[in-house]
Amino acid sequence: MKAIFREMCPNCWGPISDSRLALGLPCSYCLPSIPSKLDIETIVKNLERPGEFLQLHELDKKLEEFKSWFKECVGSDPWNLQQVWTKRVLLKRNFAILAPTGIGKTTFGLVTSTFLEWRVYLIFPTTLLVKQALEKLSSFPHNKRILAYHGSLKQKEKQSIKEEIKSGNFDILITTTMFLYRNFDVLKDKRFSLIFVDDVDSFLKSAKNIDKALMLLGFSEPDIQLAMEIIALKAQLAQGKDVGKKLEKLKRKLEKVKEKRSGIMIVSSATAKPKSKRVRLFRELLDFEVGKTVSTLRNIDDYVKEECGDIFKETLDLVKKLGPGGLVFLPSDLGREGVNEMVTYLNSNGVPATDYEHINEKTIEQFKKREIWVLVGIASYRNPLARGIDLPQHIRYAIFSGVPKIIFPLKLENRPGQLLALLIMLRDLLDDKADYFIAKLRKYESLPSSALEDPKFAKVSALINQAKEYLQSFLSNPDFLEKIKASDDLAIKEIDGELKLVVGDVTGYIQASGRTSRMYGGGISKGLSILLVDDKKAYNKLIKQIFWFIDDFQFRPFDWRLIEKTLEEVDRTRKEISEMLSGKIKKSIKSFIKSAGVIVESPNKARTIASFFGKPLRRLVNGISVYEINTGEYILNIMASQGHVFDLVTSPGLYGVIEESGKFIPIYDTIKRCGSCGYQFVEGETCPKCGSKNIIDKKTTIKAIQELAKEVNLVLIASDPDTEGEKIAWDISLAVRPFASTKRIEFHEITKSAFLNAIKEMRDIDENRVNAQITRRIADRWVGFKLSQILQRVFKNRNLSAGRVQSPVLNWIIERWFESKQKKWVTEIVVAGERIEFDGKPSEAREVNVVVLSEKIDNINPLPPYTTDTMLRDASKELGFDSTKTMELAQDLFEGVS
């Protein structure tokens, strides 16, 4: 034992030693003797008093029951991610599923619906999916009563099912999203233990569906209005309005409302950005966000052909070589007319093709059967072909028939988004004032120009006018326009009689090429992208900007032999995906993706790391933000500890350190922070500095980390790479050890590659560094605590402190100051005509030795350059002196002389 932690026993929340926590055990009061077997069932059997360990045991038991039931239904064990989702369900947590194609989201929802004891509602986007779900559920060995309502039913059957729904005579209800929208009156008095939404994009097409689903979970219309009021107040607070007190009061009220929730909600992650503000209700009432997730994960070989002839003919030749399963993207300057021309050209030359406007269930089936070889669209993130199509087992390659481009009209409008985009694109040619406007306009990028008429946006309107005048002063200058024309990555073109700025579209390229490489249960499928360059300037801009998004990006020169090798890998992964979706794949491949928690110190660092992998999912655990991302190998849940979570108490013992069996044992408790003045302390319920009772206890953070640990099998602690960071890692590791295993990761720069390398090189906690920090902290306390109290009392200032470093250094400075005021002796010695000066008053013995050396110094033979020590030793030997005594004399005499 080397420390005691107050209120950290995972069973009774009393004091416990680090040695017990390290073993994942309760305190000695709850478990007097340590059993030989340390599994949770044995621990629970030996508990002297009941506590939260029983809940942990119950969770473990329920998970084992689910795994057995899953195997009985599906024929195989649930994958790692499915077990994580199960834990969340058992812990009654709402969440959006972040998972790749083929990982079994729908299967998980269906099995879970038959496992839970109370009523479940499954919502699918189409009749076909409702019928497939019913068919699969019917194959499971359960005795649940299922009602399925869909468009294929006869009118009489529909009416009969509606009556049964109204009477509540069912365990599982399966409908389309449209049923919820049109028939809420037959559902409104029902409550569900689980609502599972298979396609949240379809669900969110009507904002009213959000309110309806919340009511089915037990919330009333006034509850929803309260949450909407809080959302509005948060927006006002962000604009600088004084609504903080009112907001806090309503938030406390909302916390009580949230206790009314009867069940949980699970949704798939969105692929499109939700438009309604009501989507924020999920965060306020259910503690998770439903937003569009964007992943920058890609496994694509990007090839470029810089010297091209006829782009259409080059495209045709490539498609004929590559075969079916392709996407063809044209630049936005060619528009729909260019897409139509390309489709006509391909079809007339024997390549079956269709454009993005004609993509429907029929053409998708034709594409899957290879009756249609390629789908043609525009290389823009707004285009449905680049944004919405997800056929990982069928899409093999993408061809860009020209560089993706963005076209900006140089006629300035009162749109913050347009002004910001132009400022960013022209930044290298503008002066430093551009940075000011870019920073300011980012906040209002999505603000519509119509909103500027509202008086509350008067300051914003003035800012936009200033930015507009600033840009206009450059764009109206012919010399500046010539600079743009001379640039190697910007072009001005006259389109429809208007001057426009044309640049490479990096987001369009990444989004469109990303259709060829998708996450699935075996990793990231191989993708192939070929860019045919039609505009050198746009290509240069694309190259410059793409590294902002993908730090290891590389365009390979067009080489058909290399492309053929890439295509072989593409087809291998497509076969693997198809086998996985048909259930033929091996379990070892399915278990490729693992789940883990990551704890960093700073909330900013948590957000930054999450942003490396696209736009993360966000949810709240115990009130603290968790960012969920996909690295390709792990689904990571990132949370911040906000620095140290424990500190020394001030009593008992010698200022919080007791002596036991000849060892000094520090006692730790969670850090408290005053919400009014920010002062940090450890003991007490009121701030010792200002007396406020608005106290934020780090116990909330520890509880949140522990709750996160219950979901996963591994927690990676990424505190700072120093001694303090190691101690923080040790503290957190002990706190979560009863719930999950832990590893330490550290990185010295906040980059994507450094973070991924740290995960590969995960290690155990360095106990030596921990011991060093504990010793240092005790020294701080013993040396500084008492002295600080004296300083504060004498100078009547609670902000003064003295520490183990401050105090001796201050003492040294004071001593030197006094010495500087005293008289100094200077001794001068002449040896063989050379004068030597040194500070100090030599004794009688020193003078004699110096004289003797002086008399015989001429007898020493000339020697090569010596260090002082070597010269004195050799001189003493030549003259027959005791070299040891001479050295002692010299060191004493010449102390401080270089």
Side-chain angles (χ1 to χ4, degrees):
M1 179 173 68
K2 58 184 164 194
I4 293 171
F5 292 83
R6 286 182 180 172
E7 299 183 346
M8 279 305 298
C9 170
N11 188 55
C12 71
W13 299 105
I16 186 171
S17 68
D18 68 292
S19 53
R20 284 265 178 162
L21 286 171
L23 293 171
L25 298 174
C27 67
S28 55
Y29 295 103
C30 296
L31 189 71
S33 58
I34 298 176
S36 56
K37 200 175 177 185
L38 296 182
D39 64 289
I40 191 164
E41 195 161 340
T42 305
I43 293 168
V44 168
K45 281 180 183 176
N46 287 277
L47 282 177
E48 286 286 321
R49 50 185 177 183
E52 290 200 24
F53 238 77
L54 296 177
Q55 296 174 19
L56 199 60
H57 179 233
E58 188 62 26
L59 176 65
D60 196 59
K61 213 163 75 173
K62 279 285 185 186
L63 178 62
E64 290 304 315
E65 287 175 16
F66 178 84
K67 286 162 72 175
S68 298
W69 177 247
F70 190 97
K71 190 167 187 176
E72 197 173 341
C73 292
V74 180
S76 62
D77 293 326
W79 309 345
N80 187 294
L81 279 181
Q82 290 170 328
Q83 292 183 45
V84 170
W85 302 334
T86 304
K87 289 180 187 178
R88 291 184 188 175
V89 169
L90 297 173
L91 291 164
K92 295 182 170 55
R93 293 177 187 164
N94 309 283
F95 61 99
I97 290 179
L98 177 66
T101 300
I103 207 71
K105 292 174 286 211
T106 304
T107 300
F108 164 76
L110 296 176
V111 175
T112 302
S113 69
T114 58
F115 179 76
L116 296 177
E117 295 175 2
W118 203 41
R119 193 180 288 148
V120 173
Y121 187 13
L122 305 173
I123 303 174
F124 292 90
T126 64
T127 290
L128 178 63
L129 290 174
V130 169
K131 291 165 74 175
Q132 288 176 352
L134 177 62
E135 184 181 350
K136 197 160 188 176
L137 277 174
S138 301
S139 69
F140 295 169
H142 62 82
N143 57 2
K144 302 281 185 180
R145 175 158 175 73
I146 303 172
L147 292 179
Y149 187 101
H150 52 81
S152 298
L153 295 171
K154 295 177 182 176
Q155 194 60 41
K156 194 173 181 180
E157 291 173 320
K158 288 181 180 180
Q159 193 58 43
S160 173
I161 290 174
K162 280 186 184 180
E163 289 299 322
E164 290 196 70
I165 293 172
K166 206 166 187 177
S167 68
N169 186 24
F170 63 91
D171 299 304
I172 300 172
L173 175 65
I174 317 172
T175 77
T176 60
T177 306
M178 190 55 69
F179 177 87
L180 174 66
Y181 179 73
R182 291 178 175 172
N183 300 280
F184 185 66
D185 57 316
V186 301
L187 281 169
K188 62 184 178 183
D189 62 338
K190 305 296 178 294
R191 297 295 175 265
F192 293 88
S193 64
L194 169 65
I195 297 177
F196 182 88
V197 181
D198 186 67
D199 181 352
V200 78
D201 290 320
S202 172
F203 179 84
L204 293 176
K205 283 180 181 177
S206 170
K208 290 182 180 178
N209 284 339
I210 299 169
D211 293 36
K212 291 170 182 176
L214 290 170
M215 289 182 195
L216 297 179
L217 290 175
F219 295 109
S220 64
E221 288 189 28
D223 297 336
I224 294 169
Q225 287 308 311
L226 173 63
M228 286 302 296
E229 189 176 354
I230 287 173
I231 291 166
L233 285 174
K234 284 182 175 179
Q236 291 175 33
L237 190 69
Q239 293 168 8
K241 294 188 178 179
D242 186 18
V243 294
K245 288 183 179 178
K246 185 180 179 181
L247 179 60
E248 288 304 315
K249 184 179 177 181
L250 292 183
K251 282 168 75 175
R252 287 193 293 271
K253 188 177 177 181
L254 189 69
E255 283 305 311
K256 292 181 180 178
V257 165
K258 286 161 74 171
E259 294 172 7
K260 294 165 61 175
R261 177 167 58 87
S262 61
I264 63 171
M265 189 170 189
I266 304 173
V267 303
S268 61
S269 58
T271 58
K273 186 178 181 180
K275 294 178 181 178
S276 172
K277 287 183 180 179
R278 302 191 83 79
V279 77
R280 298 175 192 172
L281 287 167
F282 287 118
R283 180 183 177 181
E284 299 302 331
L285 290 168
L286 301 180
D287 289 340
F288 78 103
E289 291 183 358
V290 176
K292 179 184 177 183
T293 57
V294 179
S295 175
T296 56
L297 287 172
R298 66 201 308 270
N299 180 20
I300 301 172
D301 286 350
D302 300 272
Y303 293 90
V304 61
K305 192 170 185 181
E306 294 189 46
E307 301 298 328
C308 296
D310 184 336
I311 292 288
F312 275 40
K313 187 175 186 312
E314 297 258 10
T315 302
L316 175 67
D317 292 344
L318 276 175
V319 173
K320 285 185 173 181
K321 284 184 176 182
L322 294 168
L327 303 177
V328 174
F329 293 102
L330 274 72
S332 53
D333 56 336
L334 295 182
R336 291 182 183 179
E337 294 80 5
V339 170
N340 293 335
E341 283 180 33
M342 177 64 81
V343 170
T344 303
Y345 179 77
L346 292 172
N347 280 314
S348 63
N349 284 278
V351 173
T354 192
D355 65 90
Y356 66 93
E357 289 186 323
H358 291 90
I359 294 174
N360 51 42
E361 286 187 19
K362 182 182 176 182
T363 52
I364 289 294
E365 279 303 310
Q366 289 176 313
F367 182 73
K368 287 179 180 179
K369 293 175 182 177
R370 302 194 169 191
E371 293 168 3
I372 292 176
W373 277 31
V374 292
L375 306 174
V376 185
I378 296 172
S380 165
Y381 76 93
R382 294 188 182 92
N383 190 263
L385 191 63
R387 188 187 72 228
I389 192 165
D390 195 20
L391 298 168
Q393 71 271 42
H394 300 290
I395 296 172
R396 299 169 62 237
Y397 62 88
I399 297 172
F400 291 83
S401 304
V403 179
K405 303 179 188 74
I406 303 179
I407 301 170
F408 297 100
L410 293 181
K411 184 180 179 181
L412 301 181
E413 300 173 11
N414 286 340
R415 290 190 296 114
Q418 184 219 21
L419 297 174
L420 177 63
L422 281 172
L423 284 164
I424 292 171
M425 291 300 165
L426 297 172
R427 175 63 197 90
D428 292 344
L429 302 178
L430 300 170
D431 59 29
D432 291 343
K433 198 173 181 181
D435 292 332
Y436 166 80
F437 286 116
I438 289 170
K440 290 287 185 183
L441 288 174
R442 281 192 193 280
K443 300 175 186 176
Y444 310 106
E445 183 178 0
S446 58
L447 191 71
S449 55
S450 57
L452 298 174
E453 298 172 10
D454 192 324
K456 70 181 181 182
F457 289 113
K459 288 184 179 179
V460 181
S461 182
L463 171 71
I464 288 168
N465 285 330
Q466 290 170 17
K468 191 175 171 183
E469 289 171 11
Y470 170 76
L471 266 174
Q472 191 62 50
S473 68
F474 285 93
L475 293 174
S476 59
N477 185 340
D479 292 339
F480 184 77
L481 296 179
E482 287 303 315
K483 277 188 182 180
I484 296 176
K485 291 176 183 176
S487 167
D488 68 346
D489 59 4
L490 298 170
I492 291 180
K493 292 183 180 180
E494 187 172 325
I495 301 173
D496 299 328
E498 187 181 336
L499 283 182
K500 295 187 179 181
L501 182 71
V502 179
V503 296
D505 180 8
V506 64
T507 54
Y509 181 80
I510 292 173
Q511 183 85 11
S513 62
R515 298 292 103 193
T516 70
S517 176
R518 312 300 288 164
M519 282 298 304
Y520 72 107
I524 311 171
S525 64
K526 191 69 175 179
L528 168 63
S529 173
I530 301 173
L531 173 63
L532 304 175
V533 176
D534 65 330
D535 185 322
K536 192 68 175 175
K537 284 191 172 188
Y539 174 63
N540 290 339
K541 192 68 171 180
L542 183 75
I543 290 292
K544 285 182 182 179
Q545 288 191 318
I546 207 159
F547 293 104
W548 298 354
F549 298 87
I550 306 168
D551 53 7
D552 57 350
F553 184 86
Q554 178 189 10
F555 263 128
R556 306 177 185 198
F558 186 90
D559 185 326
W560 183 248
R561 290 170 302 171
L562 295 177
I563 290 172
E564 284 183 314
K565 288 182 180 178
T566 299
L567 207 55
E568 288 175 10
E569 180 67 8
V570 166
D571 290 336
R572 186 192 66 77
T573 54
R574 297 309 177 277
K575 183 181 178 184
E576 202 170 84
I577 296 170
S578 296
E579 290 179 349
M580 175 171 290
L581 293 173
S582 65
K584 296 177 184 177
I585 205 73
K586 294 178 182 177
K587 181 178 180 293
S588 59
I589 297 176
K590 287 182 178 181
S591 300
F592 175 81
I593 301 174
K594 301 177 279 290
S595 179
V598 177
I599 311 300
V600 297
E601 288 190 39
S602 155
N604 283 336
K605 190 180 286 187
R607 285 190 291 270
T608 301
I609 292 171
S611 70
F612 292 154
F613 302 92
K615 185 176 180 181
L617 285 176
R618 184 168 175 248
R619 60 191 174 107
L620 298 176
V621 174
N622 213 39
I624 294 181
S625 292
V626 176
Y627 301 93
E628 192 166 354
I629 58 165
N630 191 340
T631 70
E633 186 177 354
Y634 285 94
I635 300 287
L636 295 179
N637 293 267
I638 306 173
M639 178 187 281
S641 72
Q642 299 187 50
H644 276 286
V645 285
F646 294 101
D647 199 2
L648 275 175
V649 298
T650 54
S651 63
L654 186 57
Y655 305 125
V657 183
I658 61 173
E659 188 178 356
E660 192 173 297
S661 304
K663 288 186 176 181
F664 292 111
I665 309 294
I667 300 172
Y668 293 100
D669 201 350
T670 49
I671 294 169
K672 285 84 179 169
R673 184 173 65 83
C674 177
S676 301
C677 70
Y679 185 75
Q680 287 196 352
F681 58 99
V682 179
E683 293 171 295
E685 295 181 359
T686 59
C687 176
K689 186 175 180 181
C690 71
S692 172
K693 292 186 177 181
N694 179 20
I695 305 303
I696 301 159
D697 194 334
K698 281 289 186 79
K699 195 177 293 176
T700 303
T701 304
I702 285 294
K703 287 269 191 182
I705 294 171
Q706 289 174 334
E707 288 300 317
L708 181 63
K710 288 177 184 178
E711 297 179 4
V712 297
N713 298 320
L714 175 66
V715 175
L716 304 172
I717 307 171
S719 45
D720 291 348
D722 53 22
T723 307
E724 294 294 318
E726 204 71 20
K727 171 62 165 56
I728 292 170
W730 183 70
D731 289 340
I732 294 172
S733 176
L734 293 175
V736 304
R737 185 62 192 86
F739 311 101
S741 61
T742 61
K743 286 287 183 181
R744 174 83 164 105
I745 63 172
E746 60 178 357
F747 42 93
H748 296 266
E749 58 181 34
I750 306 174
T751 62
K752 182 179 178 180
S753 57
F755 178 69
L756 291 175
N757 286 334
I759 293 175
K760 289 176 185 174
E761 296 168 6
M762 63 178 76
R763 60 171 175 81
D764 294 328
I765 303 288
D766 187 336
E767 296 287 339
N768 288 330
R769 293 171 77 182
V770 174
N771 292 340
Q773 198 283 338
I774 291 173
T775 306
R776 172 178 159 182
R777 184 68 187 94
I778 292 173
D780 269 335
R781 174 59 57 85
W782 282 352
V783 174
F785 190 70
K786 189 67 178 175
L787 289 173
S788 295
Q789 289 179 329
I790 295 168
L791 282 174
Q792 291 167 9
R793 186 172 64 251
V794 170
F795 291 97
K796 295 181 175 59
N797 185 345
R798 294 189 66 89
N799 292 322
L800 295 177
S801 65
R804 72 186 155 77
V805 176
Q806 288 173 309
S807 303
V809 169
L810 181 61
N811 182 62
W812 184 87
I813 291 169
I814 291 168
E815 286 177 352
R816 295 291 86 78
W817 185 82
F818 278 119
E819 287 176 9
S820 73
K821 296 299 180 185
Q822 296 171 2
K823 291 181 179 180
K824 292 183 179 179
W825 284 84
V826 177
T827 300
E828 183 182 279
I829 300 175
V830 180
V831 179
E834 296 290 331
R835 290 180 178 274
I836 301 172
E837 276 193 11
F838 65 93
D839 294 343
K841 185 178 180 182
S843 65
E844 195 79 12
R846 289 178 178 177
E847 290 173 6
V848 170
N849 280 338
V850 169
V851 171
V852 173
L853 281 169
S854 177
E855 286 175 355
K856 298 192 177 183
I857 198 85
D858 293 334
N859 296 332
I860 301 174
N861 294 325
L863 297 168
Y866 276 90
T867 63
T868 307
D869 288 0
T870 308
M871 185 188 75
L872 285 171
R873 283 194 181 94
D874 286 358
S876 298
K877 191 175 179 181
E878 283 277 334
L879 301 172
F881 292 144
D882 183 334
S883 62
T884 304
K885 287 184 178 180
T886 305
M887 289 302 295
E888 289 172 356
L889 169 66
Q891 287 169 3
D892 190 28
L893 192 64
F894 292 90
E895 184 180 10
V897 179
S898 62

